[in-house]
Structures are given as structure tokens and as C-alpha cells.
Amino acid sequence: MSDASHRLDEPSRLLALLRSIASPGVLNAVPPLLLFLTGFLGPLVLVGLTSFIPARTFGFHGDWTLENYSQLFAEGSSHYIPFLWSFGLAAACVAFLLMICYPIAYGMAKVFGKWASPITLLLVLPLFVSENVRLFGWVIFLMKGGGIFAGIMKTLFGLDPGSMLYTPAVVLFGLCYVYLPFMLFPIVLGVSMIPKDLVESANDLGASRFQMFREIEVPLAMPGLLVGGLLTFILAVGAISETTILGGQNISVVALDIRHEFTYNQNWPGGSAIAMLVTVLTGVLVMTLLNRLNLDRLLGKR
Amino acid sequence: MAEAEAFLRLTKLTKQFGKFTAVNGVDLDIREGEFFTIVGPSGSGKTTLLRMLAGLERPSAGDILLRGQRINDVPANRRPTCMVFQSLALFHHRTVGQNIEFSLKMRGVSRTERKARAMELLDMLQLPTDYYGKNVTKCSGGERQRVALARALASDPEILFFDEPLSAIDYRLRKLLEVELKDLHRATGKTFMYITHSLEEAMVMSDRIGIMREGQIIQIGTPNDIYTRPQSRFVSQFMGEVNVLAVTASGDKLEAPVHGAMLTSPPDRASGFEQGHLVIRPESVRFVSEGSGAENQLTGILYNEYAMGSRVQYHVRVGEEMFTVEKLREQAYQGNLNDEVTIGWDAKDSVLVAE
């Protein structure tokens, strides 16, 4: 009797183990996990592997090399210039957007009341139109001589603003314009997490308007500010249309450099190495900042 | 000698939100060093009144005078007042020490001085000094109350306002903190102005109580005044279960709608009284037995009994009215439910209100 139950015990324990692995949670996680592996991690691994094969070759033959990376840092290499442009423009874009979006977000979360929804809609609406189309709209607006802006200036004020396109400033403007919603909405979330009574209490305890901002509002909205900043920074580092359309290739950014390697130079391993470098740099940045941020708090879990 | 200028005087203080009048022409004098409590149901305007005094809300009309100086337009951060919020509003991104020091930091007090003051306050509020670096979110409910009090006291304000800080706390801790707050009032000698919806809470702590209803203060008095001489049915019912009988004058007697009973008026009945309500506290009503009588007697059925620790409450149905009778436990009624009982009270223990 005891013998039989002992024998029955073994398979039932195995079954229980299988059951615990195949719990509803695990089963539900399978489809997104597959998508993540094939659609996201797969290409990344391929690019990573490609970056370690000899320059201008197209297959994996087991001859791995670090040459593509050393080339980037070699004497006389000009690959650092697109890096500087990309990271510099992205940083400037984040700085400007923080200054532009905070007041708007504050208004949407605390002041506008019933007007917040129509304003949100106005800000989201451009997202339904392709980024390239919107940027070409700006080209028409800003075009030298015949553009809408130049035309108005000339007819109304007799001024010739000259060429406004193809400058770093207009590229920066394009980046700010395109990525504004990505900065704005996380900040709205962050600002709406500032409890009103904490600000009032600070005021009551002697804080001036600026002190309330510095001591209470900014620290409490920080998760939103960080997420918005990261999101825009990453998007802006990888941006390509703003430079090609508004910058007219006067400014070479990292994404253009990578495209150049892959197409014109026919150097896939070289382009992959640059892509990996960008990925690692932004990855390190994101990880460092996200470590300082409690996502649970952002999602209201405390 | 001329009458001393009131410490904090409100004259015709009014606050309107659109068409809604939250506070309606409140006149009030607060004495220096007193513990004054405003009691009212939610929506009576008590929080709005307090917020105007703290500078968080601008009065629509009327004046706030502190030592004779009009402070209507002084912003909250420049007023020598401090408020303890209902939510406590502790800065959860800061430590206990940083919370307590906040007002001093805003005033540019040096780091060492700030810390010395924070330590002093931790000690005063019986918080361990190693709480200085503790995260406020890690403190218990009672500890948070003390941190909020310490923070409010740090800059040595002249008046402390309290917006129902104990309302979200469980009964036992609340009782403890009520006593601590009253002791703190004694220790600091500051003026405390407290609002609550619980008259019971107000009774424990206050020197004087103001009852607020629909934006107006309808009665001011010591806890004893309010308890024994309510001026309206509203005030009397605020205290908890009281017996209220609608009565009409009939000669020098009062006619009540229970079996057409004629009741003896309380001795201080106003001369022109026509009709109103007779208020009798449950502990003033007793069971009348063969030997002992009472000036007013009614006969009814014992409906139910409720043990309340040191006391026992009874509901006695007399006609359509349900009377509440309260006795000490050791004087409990010996009998059964549905007994026919006679209850009674002496006229001097009842209060007649016009409303």
C-alpha cells in the first residue's frame, strides 16, 4: 500500500512542477516574449555579431575581429564628429524641451481644468501625420526667398531673413518640434503627482514661489522629468529625418553616418560597430538614470 | 483701562466660491494662548475659514486682524502662523529631520542651528533622536503626527492651526494624541486653533468651542456651556445621542406629542416661548421606581439595551418616540426587554431651545 503511493508520488510531483511552470502568468507572457526575442533582441544580436567580422565582408566565417571598433578610435578617423552632433543636439533638445514643456505640463495638470483635454488633443494631433510630411511642411515655411516665412517678412516688413534652412539651429528646432509630445506627457504625469497640500504646506512653512518649485515640485515631478528626458534623448540621438530634411546633410549625425557605412561604403561591419557603440552609450545612460528612479512610484504604487 | 486689543479678530469674514458662500460673515475673537476649536459637519465651511486664516485662501469680504494689524493680504509664507494639515502633508521625499527643519531652511537659518532646533523638537515630541535621518514614509501613524507637529513648531509661530489632523487615526491612538496635543498646548503656551467634526474630540482639548453651521458660527462657549446649555437642536444633537421632544407652550407647562403629556418647563424658560424643542441628555433620564419620583414622567416599553463599557444605554419606546436612557454599569436596570417601564427626569436637567 505504502509502496504504491510512493510510486505514484514521483510522476505527480513532476506534474506539479510542470503545472507551476505553465502557470497562467507564464503562458500569458509567452507571445510578447516571442515577439521581443524575434523582433527586438534578434536583430540586435545580428548587428552585434556583424560588428565583429572583418570590414567589408558579408558572412560569418569564424574570423572574429575588433578591428571595426579600433577603426572608430583610430588616428584621423572622423567618426567622432557625427557622435558629437547627435549627442550634443539631443542634449540641447532635452534642455530646451524641459524648459518648454514644464510650464505647459503644469498648466495641463493643475490650471487648465476642462481645457486640458482639447489642448492635449491639439498636441497629439500632429502625431497622426508622418514626421517627414510635417518636416517638409517646415521646409516650405522656412525656404529661402520663396518660403512662407520669408515671403511674409519680405512683403510686410521688407526684410529678407535669408536662408533659415540647413543650419544646426533649424535642426534643433525640428528635433524639439517633433519630440515635444514625448517630453510633455511624462512631465504631465510627473506634475500631476505633486500633491496640492504638500505645496501649500511648504508655502505655509515659509517657502516663496521659487522655493516651492525647487524644494517640492521639481523633486516630486522628477520621475516624470527623467522619463521624458530619457525618452526624448534616446529618440533625438537616433533621429535622422530632421537632419536630412531640415539640415540638408550639412550636419552629419550618427544615424546618417551608420546609413552611409551600410549603403555608400558597403561596410556593414563598420556600420554595425557604430550602431553598437551608440546602443551601449545610450544603454549605460538609461540604466544609470533608471536605477535612480522608482518606477513603482511613477505608476502610483508607492 | 481700555479693553485690550483682541489677539486674533475676525470681522464679517466671508468667502464665496462662485455663487456658493462657504463662510458667511464670521465675527470671532480668539484670545492669546487659548485652545479654540471649531466644530461643524463637513461642508460647514470650517476648513475654508481656517485656510483664510493661514493665508491659503483670500477672503471675499471682511477682515482678519492679528494684534490689530490687518493681515488679509499677507501671503501664507509671511504669516506668523502654521498649519497642520488633515493629510499632515509631510514631504515624503525628505527625511524626518529635513521635514522639521523646512521652515528654518526657508528662512536661511544655518545648518548647525537648524539641526540643534530639530533635535530639541524631536526630544520635546518624544521621538528618538536617531529618527533625524529616517525617511518619513517609514514612520508609523503616531510618529508622523509628531513629525508634523514638530515641523509646525520649528519656526516658533504665534498661532498653530489644525485641520482635523486626527480624523484618519484609529480610536485608541486618537485618544492618546488628543491628550498629547493638549499637553503640548500647555507646554508651549501658544494659541491653538483646531477644527474637527467631532464635538467629543473638541470637548477633551478645548478652552472654548465654536459650533459652525452653513458658514456661520452659531454658538461659542466653553465645553461645559456647549454641553449643558446648547442654544439649538443642531448643537445639542452634535454631542451624540440626545432626547429631543417637539413641544408647545401650554400655560407654564409644555405639551409634548407623547400621549399628550404635560411636562414641567425648565426653570430658565424664556418668557415669550411658544414652541420649540426640549432637549434631555440620556444620562439625565432615569428609571422611576415605586419609591422615587421625577418631575416629568413617561411610561413606555423597554425596547433594547446596549452595553458601552462603563455605561449601559437603553432605548425606551414611549408612544411614537424612542427615548435614550444612559446608566452607569453598576446602576444598570434589572429587568427584561419589553418590560413596561416609567422613565423620568427633573425639569432643571432639560434645556428648552426655540428652534
Side-chain angles (χ1 to χ4, degrees), chain A residues 6-262:
Chain A
H6 186 74
R7 248 181 282 131
L8 275 172
D9 210 31
E10 283 306 312
S12 73
R13 210 187 287 164
L14 198 74
L15 212 67
L17 186 74
L18 270 173
R19 234 179 241 136
S20 73
I21 292 172
S23 68
V26 173
L27 287 176
N28 275 297
V30 166
L33 206 65
L34 282 177
L35 195 71
F36 178 75
L37 287 174
T38 54
F40 185 82
L41 214 56
L44 200 65
V45 168
L46 277 180
V47 172
L49 289 176
T50 312
S51 72
F52 292 110
I53 61 174
R56 294 193 170 78
T57 60
F58 296 95
F60 302 128
H61 304 294
D63 41 357
W64 306 109
T65 170
L66 286 169
E67 176 200 2
N68 300 309
Y69 289 95
S70 59
Q71 270 297 308
L72 294 180
F73 298 101
E75 195 81 43
S77 155
S78 60
H79 287 292
Y80 71 93
I81 295 172
F83 264 95
L84 287 182
W85 272 122
S86 274
F87 282 82
L89 281 171
C93 171
V94 167
F96 273 106
L97 279 179
L98 277 174
M99 287 188 284
I100 296 166
C101 291
Y102 190 87
I104 305 176
Y106 192 88
M108 285 170 69
K110 307 269 173 192
V111 186
F112 297 160
K114 61 175 179 177
W115 292 106
S117 303
I119 291 171
T120 307
L121 191 70
L122 276 179
L123 288 162
V124 172
L125 221 52
L127 289 177
F128 296 152
V129 180
S130 152
E131 185 187 325
N132 290 356
V133 173
R134 282 183 286 142
L135 288 173
F136 274 116
W138 279 109
V139 171
I140 295 167
F141 189 86
L142 295 171
M143 213 186 286
K144 187 181 177 182
I148 294 172
F149 182 69
I152 288 171
M153 283 315 217
K154 203 178 268 178
T155 35
L156 289 186
F157 307 107
L159 291 171
D160 184 6
S163 175
M164 305 202 56
L165 287 173
Y166 318 129
T167 60
V170 86
V171 173
L172 183 59
F173 167 79
L175 289 171
C176 290
Y177 164 74
V178 169
Y179 298 120
L180 184 127
F182 299 93
M183 180 65 104
L184 183 65
F185 294 114
I187 300 188
V188 171
L189 189 65
V191 170
S192 60
M193 283 185 349
I194 307 170
K196 183 169 162 248
D197 53 354
L198 259 62
V199 181
E200 283 184 336
S201 176
N203 189 211
D204 186 53
L205 288 163
S208 63
R209 188 71 201 83
F210 176 71
Q211 284 171 321
M212 285 186 258
F213 173 75
R214 194 187 61 195
E215 299 284 335
I216 309 297
E217 291 174 352
V218 170
L220 291 179
M222 192 48 89
L225 297 175
L226 266 180
V227 167
L230 278 178
L231 209 57
T232 20
F233 187 83
I234 293 164
L235 288 168
V237 161
I240 190 162
S241 336
E242 291 77 15
T243 16
T244 40
I245 297 170
L246 296 176
Q249 306 206 17
N250 265 358
I251 297 148
S252 174
V253 289
V254 159
L256 268 177
D257 196 30
I258 296 170
R259 192 171 75 179
H260 191 79
E261 286 296 313
F262 269 85

Side-chain angles (χ1 to χ4, degrees), chain B residues 165-315:
Chain B
L166 303 182
S167 62
I169 291 189
D170 68 84
Y171 183 81
R172 279 172 57 118
L173 184 58
R174 189 165 72 232
K175 288 286 147 208
L176 193 74
L177 288 168
E178 281 171 8
V179 171
E180 275 187 28
L181 204 56
K182 188 163 187 176
D183 290 348
L184 187 72
H185 176 247
R186 195 187 143 85
T188 57
K190 291 188 185 303
T191 310
F192 278 26
M193 202 166 162
Y194 194 96
I195 65 173
T196 174
H197 58 266
S198 159
L199 190 54
E200 196 194 346
E201 191 175 303
M203 292 274 172
V204 177
M205 298 185 289
S206 318
D207 295 323
R208 283 196 304 156
I209 294 172
I211 309 281
M212 202 159 175
R213 182 191 192 184
E214 288 167 7
Q216 290 178 315
I217 291 186
I218 54 171
Q219 187 174 354
I220 297 176
T222 63
N224 194 43
D225 284 342
I226 304 273
Y227 190 79
T228 56
R229 283 187 294 281
Q231 284 166 6
S232 63
R233 192 155 57 114
F234 178 82
V235 174
S236 69
Q237 283 176 331
F238 226 87
M239 196 46 219
E241 276 192 274
V242 291
N243 299 299
V244 180
L245 279 177
V247 291
T248 43
S250 171
D252 62 348
K253 292 275 182 183
L254 297 166
E255 191 178 340
V258 275
H259 307 324
M262 296 300 263
L263 304 172
T264 309
S265 303
D268 56 352
R269 173 178 154 180
S271 53
F273 181 81
E274 289 288 337
Q275 59 174 13
H277 290 90
L278 190 66
V279 178
I280 315 123
R281 305 212 52 81
E283 67 270 25
S284 303
V285 187
R286 58 180 182 269
F287 292 102
V288 179
S289 54
E290 295 296 318
S292 72
E295 282 178 88
N296 292 310
Q297 296 192 2
L298 296 165
T299 301
I301 299 294
L302 182 62
Y303 180 73
N304 215 342
E305 89 172 36
Y306 313 90
M308 309 182 84
S310 62
R311 295 159 297 127
V312 192
Q313 263 193 10
Y314 303 91
H315 278 174

Side-chain angles (χ1 to χ4, degrees), chain A residues 193 195-209 211-212 214-216 219-220 297 302, chain B residues 51 54 56 76-77 79 81-83 85 87-94 102-103 105-107 151-152:
Chain A
M193 283 185 349
K196 183 169 162 248
D197 53 354
L198 259 62
V199 181
E200 283 184 336
S201 176
N203 189 211
D204 186 53
L205 288 163
S208 63
R209 188 71 201 83
Q211 284 171 321
M212 285 186 258
R214 194 187 61 195
E215 299 284 335
I216 309 297
L220 291 179
R297 247 204 73 203
R302 266 306 135 90
Chain B
R51 287 172 59 83
L56 298 170
N77 54 338
R79 288 192 193 187
T81 62
C82 208
M83 178 142 147
F85 286 68
S87 64
L88 302 181
L90 291 176
F91 305 136
H92 48 74
H93 58 299
R94 296 274 190 261
F102 189 85
S103 60
K105 190 180 173 194
M106 295 304 105
R107 284 164 177 77
R151 187 178 71 172

Side-chain angles (χ1 to χ4, degrees), chain B residues 121-151:
Chain B
L121 285 160
L122 283 174
D123 187 50
M124 182 174 174
L125 288 149
Q126 292 152 35
L127 285 164
T129 42
D130 59 356
Y131 270 41
Y132 183 82
K134 190 171 177 168
N135 190 326
V136 275
T137 53
K138 300 233 162 63
C139 292
S140 73
E143 287 162 359
R144 284 184 208 193
Q145 293 281 341
R146 296 194 182 105
V147 174
L149 278 170
R151 187 178 71 172

Side-chain angles (χ1 to χ4, degrees), chain B residues 27-44:
Chain B
D27 291 308
L28 187 63
D29 276 354
I30 307 286
R31 300 169 194 150
E32 185 158 13
E34 82 172 322
F35 197 132
F36 189 93
T37 304
I38 293 176
V39 185
S42 52
S44 59

